[in-house]
Amino acid sequence: MFEHKWKCHWGQVDPAGIAYYPRLVDAMHEAGEEFMESIGISYMDVNEFDMDLPLVAMDMEFRKPVFVGDTISIEVEPDIGTKSLGFDFTARHEDGEIAFEGHEQHVCVDKNKQSMVIPDKVRDPLEEAIE
């Protein structure tokens, strides 16, 4: 399982000192990007395969606030479909308590924005990462 560390800084909180929720959405997406880079395929690299991976759906459920100064670990679990790629995220505080859980769903599209099968050059590293 891939894990990404994220620290909440002063500019990412609301007046109560709690992480402003769009910053947590950013942190979740950043974890997915870091996962892809860790397997050698950044979102920018997918253009080399004549494809894109646009985000088509996402959701989050908040369980425990993230405060300024907190560092959370965001676990990333990919779910590979024929023409889609999903990521399940679990963000944990240093004490192991869950801060939030989330999901992103991407679809593989060609340059004409039509769905396509994920190419083997992308699928193979994804499958190796989850073995």
Side-chain angles (χ1 to χ4, degrees):
M1 176 182 314
F2 181 82
E3 191 174 294
H4 173 69
K5 299 277 188 191
W6 183 83
K7 184 172 183 175
C8 183
H9 296 280
W10 179 250
Q12 299 165 320
V13 299
D14 63 17
I18 298 171
Y20 183 48
Y21 75 91
R23 300 301 71 86
L24 296 177
V25 172
D26 290 342
M28 182 176 80
H29 187 74
E30 181 180 300
E33 285 190 51
E34 291 290 327
F35 164 77
M36 291 296 286
E37 288 181 10
S38 78
I39 64 168
I41 303 173
S42 73
Y43 285 127
M44 295 303 296
D45 291 340
V46 298
N47 292 318
E48 295 174 18
F49 305 110
D50 295 322
M51 58 169 273
D52 289 306
L53 284 170
L55 181 68
V56 294
M58 64 89 47
D59 62 65
M60 294 178 80
E61 185 168 336
F62 301 100
R63 303 227 186 255
K64 184 178 177 188
V66 176
F67 294 96
V68 66
D70 287 353
T71 298
I72 57 174
S73 296
I74 305 172
E75 301 163 359
V76 182
E77 291 218 27
D79 178 25
I80 309 160
T82 303
K83 297 180 178 183
S84 64
L85 173 61
F87 292 115
D88 290 318
F89 302 94
T90 304
R92 296 181 188 278
H93 286 278
E94 291 176 321
D95 64 4
E97 286 197 54
I98 294 175
F100 64 83
E101 294 175 299
H103 178 79
E104 285 186 346
Q105 190 67 40
H106 299 261
V107 65
C108 184
V109 298
D110 62 22
K111 294 304 175 186
N112 295 317
K113 306 304 179 210
Q114 299 299 309
S115 65
M116 64 180 276
V117 173
I118 298 173
D120 290 341
K121 289 182 178 180
V122 176
R123 178 179 300 284
D124 292 346
L126 286 165
E127 288 178 346
E128 287 177 22
I130 60 175
E131 290 179 346

